[in-house]
Amino acid sequence: MSGGSTTLPRWAAVVLRPGPARTWALAALAALVLLVLAPAVLSDFRLSLLARFLCLAMVAVGIGLAWGQGGMLTLGQGVFFGLGAYIMAMHLKLADAGPGGVPDFMLLYGTGEVPGWWEPMRSPATTVVLVVAVPALLALVLGTAVFRRQVRGAYFAVLSQALAAAFAILLVGQQQTTGGTNGLNGFRSFFGYDLADPVNRRMLYLLAAGTLLVMVLAVRALMRSRYGELLVAVRDQENRVRFLGYDPVRVKVFAYVVAAVFAAIGGALFVPIAGIISPADVGVVPSIGFLVGVAIGGRATLLGPVLGSVVVAWAETGLSESFPSFWTYFQGALFILVVAFLPGGPAQLAGVLRRRRGAGHAPGAGRAGADTDQPAGGGRGRRPDAGGDTADATDTLEDGPGRAATGHGDPPVVAASGPPAAAANDPDHHLAATTERHP
C-alpha cells in the first residue's frame, strides 16, 4: 500500500482496508442506516418504497452469488421471484376471503370455485414452506439438467430468459386462476395483520431490511467457506476442478438454488409491501432489470449488487415520474457506461485509483511490480475477500473476475508455479492454486 494511506484517520483506514474489520464495519453501518436511520427520517410512503427496493435487492444478492461468484449469467430470476410472490399472493387472497371463501376475481372470471392446487395455500405455515420449497425444487431440477450437460455462458442465459418469458405467458393465459394480466392485488391483511395500519407497514419494512441483512451475511459466510473457494474455482477453471476430483455440477447447482430461494423470499415479501403482483413483474424485462442493478453495483462484490439494485430501482421510480418514456433509454445508457468504464462496478474505482497512485509513487517499476495488490509473477489479481467487499477482485471482469486474469489460454497454474513434491498429489493444494484462498 502506498504511503498516502498513513495520513488517513484510524476509522477511515479500517473502513478502506480490505479485510474482516472493513466488512463488519460496513455491515454495522448498513444495519444502522436501514434499521434506525431510514425509519426515523423517511415518511411512510418513502419507507414503503424503500421496502420494495430491498425486496428487489434480495434477488440481486442471489444473482451476485450465482453470476458474480459462480459465473452463471442468470437472466430468468423473475421466475423464482414470481413463484414466491404468487404463492404468497394466493395465501393472502384466500385469507382475505375467509375460511372456505373464494377470492373475488374468481367470482368474476372463474367458476366460483377454488382450484385444488390453491387449497394448500390456505395454511400460513404451508405457504411459508412452499415459498422456499417450490423455487428450490425447480432450481434443483433445472440446474442439474442444465449443468450436467455443461450448458453455460450465453446458452444458459438464453435458456433462463426463455423460461421467464414462458412463465409470464403462462400467467397471462390463466386469468381464471392467476388473474391474468391484472395479476393478484387488493390484499387487506398479512398473516392476520392489517396492511392499512402504518405500524404494520413499518414492521414489514423492518422485516424486509432484516431479511436482506441476513442474506448478505449468509453469502459472505458462504464465500469465506470451503464451498466459496470451490465456486470461484469452478467459475475460473471448471475443467481443472473436475480433474481434481470435485463435481462442478453440485457446486453450481447449490449456488443456483440459493439464488432461487433468495429471489422467492424477495418476491414473497414484495407482495404485501407493493400490494400487487402481475406478469409484468416476473417476465423478461424485470429479469434483465435485476441483472442491470447487479452489473452496475458490482457483481463480484458483496454489497455492490444490493446498492446497485436499490440505486437503479430508486432512479427508475424518480425518473419515471418525470420522464416516463425515457427511463429505458437512460437505464441502457447507464449500463453501457458502467460496462465500458467500470466493468466491476463502483467498487472497482478504489482499486483503479490505488493502482494509479502506486504507479505514481514507483515510476518505471512496471505495473505489476509497482502495485502491491498485484503479484508480479502470477498475473492474477489478489482476492482478499472474494465473497465481496473488495475492489481488487473486481478489477478484471471481462468474462468473470478471475477468468479475465487467468485466461483460458494460460498455462496451468500448477505447472507454472511448480508445487512442492509433497503437495503435488494433494487436491486441496491444486484447488488453492486454481483460486486464491479467502482470508
Side-chain angles (χ1 to χ4, degrees):
M1 189 66 68
S2 65
S5 62
T6 57
T7 61
L8 294 174
R10 181 179 178 82
W11 65 268
V14 170
V15 171
L16 295 177
R17 184 183 301 119
R22 187 180 74 165
T23 301
W24 286 112
L26 291 176
L29 179 63
L32 181 66
V33 171
L34 289 177
L35 301 179
V36 178
L37 187 60
V41 300
L42 294 180
S43 64
D44 290 341
F45 172 74
R46 293 297 176 187
L47 200 63
S48 179
L49 205 58
L50 179 58
R52 295 176 58 177
F53 300 157
L54 297 183
C55 293
L56 303 180
M58 296 177 196
V59 187
V61 173
I63 295 177
L65 176 67
W67 183 33
Q69 306 299 331
M72 293 170 280
L73 182 57
T74 55
L75 284 176
Q77 289 302 97
V79 174
F80 305 112
F81 180 83
L83 283 175
Y86 268 89
I87 290 173
M88 179 58 70
M90 292 174 191
H91 167 70
L92 298 185
K93 294 298 290 184
L94 291 173
D96 290 344
V102 180
D104 48 5
F105 75 94
M106 290 185 180
L107 296 174
L108 293 175
Y109 306 119
T111 60
E113 297 181 357
V114 178
W117 55 278
W118 269 63
E119 291 296 338
M121 269 71 79
R122 288 191 185 275
S123 167
T126 304
T127 300
V128 173
V129 172
L130 291 177
V131 163
V132 176
V134 172
L137 182 61
L138 176 62
L140 177 64
V141 173
L142 181 65
T144 302
V146 169
F147 299 135
R148 194 170 294 282
R149 289 166 175 76
Q150 300 190 25
V151 177
R152 67 187 74 172
Y155 296 100
F156 175 72
V158 171
L159 179 64
S160 60
Q161 193 174 49
L163 185 65
F167 183 61
I169 294 174
L170 176 66
L171 292 174
V172 171
Q174 303 296 319
Q175 187 174 25
Q176 296 179 350
T177 54
T178 64
T181 307
N182 297 327
L184 303 179
N185 53 59
F187 314 113
R188 298 193 300 271
S189 64
F190 178 67
F191 291 100
Y193 293 94
D194 185 5
L195 288 175
D197 191 339
V199 176
N200 293 335
R201 298 199 66 81
R202 283 185 170 257
M203 292 304 297
L204 266 176
Y205 164 79
L206 294 177
L207 177 62
T211 303
L212 177 62
L213 290 174
V214 170
M215 288 182 178
V216 172
L217 293 177
V219 169
R220 179 182 182 275
L222 203 60
M223 295 314 303
R224 294 174 65 86
S225 67
R226 180 68 171 171
Y227 170 79
E229 293 183 349
L230 274 172
L231 183 60
V232 175
V234 168
R235 178 198 65 196
D236 293 343
Q237 298 291 340
E238 181 173 340
N239 290 331
R240 188 176 299 173
V241 172
R242 183 180 293 105
F243 173 76
L244 294 175
Y246 297 98
D247 186 0
V249 175
R250 294 184 179 180
V251 177
K252 296 170 73 172
V253 167
F254 182 77
Y256 191 51
V257 170
V258 171
V261 170
F262 282 6
I265 294 175
L269 290 175
F270 179 85
V271 168
I273 292 173
I276 184 174
I277 185 68
S278 70
D281 300 316
V282 304
V284 173
V285 174
S287 296
I288 295 177
F290 293 143
L291 202 74
V292 169
V294 175
I296 291 176
R299 58 177 175 173
T301 62
L302 185 63
L303 298 179
V306 175
L307 297 177
S309 177
V310 172
V311 169
V312 169
W314 200 293
E316 179 180 5
T317 302
L319 293 177
S320 296
E321 293 175 355
S322 304
F323 309 100
S325 302
F326 290 96
W327 163 246
T328 304
Y329 301 104
F330 178 79
Q331 186 185 40
L334 185 61
F335 179 73
I336 293 173
L337 288 175
V338 170
V339 170
F341 297 102
L342 291 173
Q348 184 189 19
L349 186 61
V352 172
L353 295 177
R354 190 161 49 245
R355 280 200 305 274
R356 290 182 177 179
R357 187 172 54 187
H361 283 284
R367 179 178 178 178
D371 190 350
T372 56
D373 290 343
Q374 293 283 348
R380 184 193 296 267
R382 184 171 66 89
R383 187 177 293 110
D385 185 356
D389 59 1
T390 171
D392 301 327
T394 64
D395 289 348
T396 51
L397 289 170
E398 186 71 22
D399 293 322
R403 185 174 303 163
T406 57
H408 292 292
D410 291 350
V413 174
V414 174
S417 58
N425 298 321
D426 183 6
D428 292 345
H429 175 83
H430 291 279
L431 178 62
T434 302
T435 179
E436 289 76 8
R437 185 178 296 276
H438 312 305

